[in-house]
Amino acid sequence: MGRIVLDQVSKSFGEVEVIPPLDLTIEDGEFTVFVGPSGCGKSTLLRLIAGLEDSSGGHIRIDGADATNVPPAKRGLAMVFQSYALYPHMSVRKNIAFPLRMAKLDQVEIDRRVDGAAAVLNLGDYLDRRPGQLSGGQRQRVAIGRAIVREPAAFLFDEPLSNLDAALRVGMRLEISELHKRLQTTMVYVTHDQVEAMTMADKIVVLHAGRVEQVGSPLELYRAPRNTFVAGFIGSPKMNLLEGPEAAKHNARTIGTRPEHIAISETDGEWAGTVGVSEHLGSDTFFHVKCDAFPEPLTVRASGEMTVGYGAKVFLTPDPAHLHRFDEQGLRLE
């Protein structure tokens, strides 16, 4: 079991309130991702759940029991940090087994758990090596293995991939997602990378200045962002947010259209513009188009086969079926 409920949980450092009172439920077996810009409170919220920070108010319940004042070691949670925090003089086997030895489990049980974790993480051939003999991705797997052997109610990940290069990040992202499918254990994952959030999560919690802006599945947030902050944060490239006369035509303060929902033509269309920088990714090309109607360039996603040169005159037409409208407060209009 691993159901976590936050009831009016808040955190202040002196007079500074970094997390106003919030409510949040993470269901048993769910992969929940906290995402938001730097300083939004996502790591602080994770540390409150772990017990590494004391809450200033509210209650934290784990599987129905009030864990608000329970020490971290007794909450039944396992945390994986950004830094691997491995002991360089110990073998992989001993690193993974370390928390079990501290808990004074018998050797037979320790060996069973370590061998099981090594099998899940494909570390069987590396158990006798030391961390210095491993790649970054392998060291991160050892850190995860050390969490797995504790058989926790939930795993807490604090930006575990940020020290890896791009290729390893993609590989580890897939491995952690696969691990969740196999273990079916609650996972709470913190990242500033919305691509990680979109590809890994069952449920995304978007945070901004300590407040929960929206909670939902990746596609729910992508298709129906609650406000302009979520609209501009979720999606890569981000949604084009437009104000002025064009927005007023749709009875909105702001309209939003995603890059893939804008047609680009060299002959006709709704908005005339000039092509600036183009990003060719092979399967796709992203054109950054300056239109007279808007102060900022619009990003348009097109087929990788399309070639339009810098400075070319083009016309853009948004898909009305995928136009998002927001009011004066930035809230979504239906």
Side-chain angles (χ1 to χ4, degrees), residues 66 75 97 105 116 126 131 187 199 202 224 237 244 280 298 300 302 306 309 320:
D66 193 336
R75 294 195 180 193
L105 270 65
Y126 306 98
M187 292 187 176
T199 55
D202 296 323
H280 301 284
L298 275 66
V300 182
M306 187 172 188

Side-chain angles (χ1 to χ4, degrees), residues 32 44 61 64 70 81 144 148 176 192 197 209 212 215 221 241 251 256 287 295 317 320:
T32 297
T44 300
R61 296 183 176 86
V70 174
F81 295 93
I144 294 171
I148 288 175
I176 293 174
H192 64 275
V212 175
V215 178
L221 269 60
L241 295 172
N251 298 314
F287 295 105
T317 303

Side-chain angles (χ1 to χ4, degrees), residues 59-332:
H59 296 275
I60 299 171
R61 296 183 176 86
I62 301 174
D63 290 331
D66 193 336
T68 310
N69 298 311
V70 174
K74 297 188 179 298
R75 294 195 180 193
L77 308 174
M79 194 156 181
V80 179
F81 295 93
Q82 178 178 341
S83 60
Y84 315 127
L86 303 178
Y87 296 101
H89 63 287
M90 290 185 184
S91 67
V92 168
R93 180 182 292 279
K94 289 183 177 179
N95 266 284
I96 295 176
F98 185 78
L100 305 182
R101 293 208 308 274
M102 292 296 98
K104 300 187 179 347
L105 270 65
D106 67 75
Q107 193 60 46
V108 172
E109 179 64 12
I110 290 174
D111 290 342
R112 181 189 71 80
R113 294 196 189 186
V114 171
D115 290 341
V120 167
L121 296 167
N122 296 316
L123 288 172
D125 294 336
Y126 306 98
L127 288 174
D128 294 325
R129 296 190 187 182
R130 292 186 178 182
Q133 298 171 298
L134 305 178
S135 69
Q138 289 166 338
R139 288 197 291 270
Q140 189 58 274
R141 289 211 298 269
V142 175
I144 294 171
R146 192 169 50 193
I148 288 175
V149 295
R150 295 178 58 189
E151 298 181 353
F155 293 92
L156 309 180
F157 293 90
D158 191 5
E159 303 208 42
L161 308 185
S162 55
N163 286 338
L164 304 179
D165 62 35
L168 278 176
R169 284 174 72 100
V170 173
M172 282 303 301
R173 192 172 76 205
L174 294 173
E175 288 188 26
I176 293 174
S177 296
E178 180 66 28
L179 180 66
H180 176 251
K181 300 298 183 187
R182 285 190 224 158
L183 299 180
Q184 291 296 300
T185 305
T186 305
M187 292 187 176
V188 185
Y189 188 103
V190 162
T191 182
H192 64 275
D193 185 339
Q194 56 89 27
V195 174
E196 283 184 16
M198 289 291 291
T199 55
M200 300 175 77
D202 296 323
K203 180 165 73 182
I204 295 176
V205 180
V206 181
L207 291 159
H208 182 219
R211 293 178 171 80
V212 175
E213 295 288 345
Q214 190 170 358
V215 178
S217 71
L219 287 181
E220 285 172 348
L221 269 60
Y222 192 80
R223 292 171 177 166
R226 181 183 175 190
N227 55 37
T228 51
F229 177 81
V230 177
F233 192 82
I234 296 294
S236 181
K238 67 180 182 180
M239 182 185 290
N240 298 291
L241 295 172
L242 314 169
E243 298 182 351
E246 291 297 324
K249 290 179 184 177
H250 297 274
N251 298 314
R253 170 63 181 271
T254 306
I255 55 173
T257 180
R258 295 206 178 274
E260 65 269 31
H261 296 146
I262 302 177
I264 182 169
S265 168
E266 295 181 84
T267 56
D268 57 5
E270 191 169 331
W271 302 325
T274 303
V275 174
V277 173
S278 300
E279 299 175 284
H280 301 284
L281 304 179
S283 59
D284 300 305
T285 296
F286 293 108
F287 295 105
H288 298 275
V289 181
K290 180 67 176 71
C291 298
D292 293 338
F294 310 110
E296 298 295 328
L298 275 66
T299 303
V300 182
R301 180 180 182 177
S303 165
E305 302 297 320
M306 187 172 188
T307 55
V308 180
Y310 182 89
K313 301 299 182 182
V314 294
F315 298 89
L316 307 181
T317 303
D319 182 348
H322 293 94
L323 199 67
H324 305 262
R325 301 186 309 124
F326 303 94
D327 66 14
E328 296 282 342
Q329 286 72 46
L331 298 177
R332 182 179 185 81

